[in-house]
Amino acid sequence: MAKLTASIFNDVIGPVMRGPSSSHVAGAARIAALIRQSQRDDIRKVRVYFDPNGSLAESYDGHGTDIGFVGGLLGLELTDPSVPEALQIAREKGPEVAFFIKDYNAVHPNTYRIEVEGAASAHSWDAVSVGGGMIRMEVFDGFPVSIDGGYFEYLLTLGSAEHLDAAVATVKSVAGKIEQIDTAAQGGKALISLKTSAALPEEAFDALRAIPGVADTAFMEPILPTRAKADCAMPFLSAAELLEYAKKNPMEFWEYAALYESIRGNTTPAAVFEQMSALLAVMENCIAEGLAGTHYEDRILGPQAYKMDEAARKGALIPNDLNNRIIAYISAIMEVKSAMGVIVAAPTAGSCGGLPGTLVGTGRSLGLARDEIVKGLLAAGLIGVFIAESATFAAEVAGCQVECGAGSGMAAAGLAQIMHGSVEQCLDAASMALQNITGLACDPVANRVEVPCLGKNIMCGLNAVAAANMALAGFDKVIPLDQTIAAIYDIGLKLPLELRCSHGGLGKAEASARIRKKLEGRR
């Protein structure tokens, strides 16, 4: 099955979460949440294996993968205050969870191989965290599957492949409306997997369980904010398609974003606006919390955001109130993230500061109404959709240019929107911002998402201001946005492993090794 069409609230702005990394914490939590749902009896023991050539083997304990995964097994929401204590809760109450490094030739750098033991059953899974908290379950008990968390999922295991055709016919007769049905057979057994947009009535599921030859069943509810639906024909999926659509349907840029998401989520543009407004409230609270000062033992940097105001009052800063406010706001958000506070991944947790810090900082500096910032976030979200459709948000795949860099392109379009730029100017601003960050490496220090992540978020925020002003002034972007996104992705895939998260660069500096040893000694 092809991947789900990108959603602003699934793929781009969100999830609302705790933790330093959306790929590592939110993705891990969602994988574990689906496994918890699928297991019909109590989970007693779980073994998780990371390939040594992937990013998780090096960073799972520093980026919070272990915390997120165990939190998902425990049924904790990503915003639950207990998330930071998930490992301790599991040690005291179960289940027993252990992480191992094992070479199994994983293709994706964020691959999980998982063995689950229940009171009377055992299952295995292969899953991938694909970026920004999005996941894909790929193998269940040796059978290929494709589960993204947007549908209701039903898995029927048959003890003999001989019963497959008859079982499929019965499934179609009793299950009602099925969005997709897939089958697989191997080792004499078979699997039927069903996707539906609504939960089957319990009597229908009972009928599925009673089909001759069905030896086991599993059920999973959607875990994404925007659920999937069949026959979802989107009006545009690229900048070029948007420009064509806009010729016959003139609107402001943010309105195209609201329209897009309303179709994708089977809702209304007004509801989309309110949902984004709610996310802005989380961002605003995050800024306030960060400026007030945060404290957390397991991190490199202490509270610093407040220092910008202090230095400004002393006249110690180069005068530029807008830029200095943006620096303070981005720093505040990043500090809340590093203190396991509640943030909005935008488009990832590692790049959570750039977009909201820049838009909120600019909006407040200009005295704009709050709704104008919401419009800017919607505009940014649509740029993110174009990136998600053609590239990735995983730095492990394509470097920091698709995390902080993507946030910069999104913020540039958002800034052009709040200045009432045209559709073309919003797209051009995004393209120019992205062009400025090609090749940006991901090389976190001491296995923590803090340094140089803070500086890169700030750099990309200020880059967004410059790109927006260039577009609004009429500068030539030269390369259209779609082509720029394609180039970014191509460059990212060609970056060596050492420049794609935790394997090299600043992360291998002598000072980084000393800091990591010191932090690990506190545990």
Side-chain angles (χ1 to χ4, degrees), residues 1-4 27 30-35 37-38 124-130 133-141 143-156 180 182 191-196 218-224 228:
M1 179 182 180
K3 80 177 187 70
L4 297 175
R30 284 173 165 173
I31 288 169
L34 287 174
I35 290 173
Q37 288 190 56
S38 71
S124 64
W125 291 88
D126 280 6
V128 174
S129 175
V130 298
M134 297 295 285
I135 58 96
R136 185 173 61 248
M137 314 296 282
E138 296 186 329
V139 180
F140 171 67
D141 287 348
F143 295 103
V145 294
S146 180
I147 299 171
D148 301 281
Y151 286 103
F152 291 87
E153 304 276 353
Y154 298 83
L155 303 179
L156 313 178
Q180 181 165 333
D182 294 301
L191 181 77
I192 302 174
S193 56
L194 313 177
K195 299 181 186 295
T196 64
F219 167 63
M220 288 155 281
E221 295 184 352
I223 57 172
L224 298 177

Side-chain angles (χ1 to χ4, degrees), residues 26 163 238 266 346 361:
H163 298 108
S238 68
N266 195 28

Side-chain angles (χ1 to χ4, degrees), residues 151-177:
Y151 286 103
F152 291 87
E153 304 276 353
Y154 298 83
L155 303 179
L156 313 178
T157 303
L158 279 67
S160 172
E162 294 179 2
H163 298 108
L164 182 56
D165 291 342
V168 169
T170 306
V171 166
K172 291 179 177 178
S173 68
V174 303
K177 182 174 175 53

Side-chain angles (χ1 to χ4, degrees), residues 334-420:
M334 295 295 285
E335 288 171 20
V336 171
K337 178 267 302 173
S338 295
M340 294 296 286
V342 176
I343 56 101
V344 180
T348 69
S351 61
C352 67
L355 170 62
T358 302
L359 290 190
V360 175
T362 302
R364 289 181 179 177
S365 291
L366 298 179
L368 300 181
R370 189 175 180 278
D371 279 359
E372 296 303 311
I373 302 175
V374 176
K375 293 175 183 178
L377 287 171
L378 284 166
L382 187 54
I383 298 298
V385 164
F386 299 152
I387 296 172
E389 281 295 311
S390 302
T392 179
F393 290 129
E396 299 87 349
V397 175
C400 195
Q401 58 180 354
V402 296
E403 292 203 21
C404 289
S408 187
M410 291 161 57
L415 291 173
Q417 167 60 56
I418 66 175
M419 295 303 294
H420 304 290

Side-chain angles (χ1 to χ4, degrees), residues 94-105:
E96 178 187 332
V97 186
F99 299 88
F100 302 93
I101 311 303
K102 179 181 179 180
D103 192 344
Y104 50 90
N105 297 314

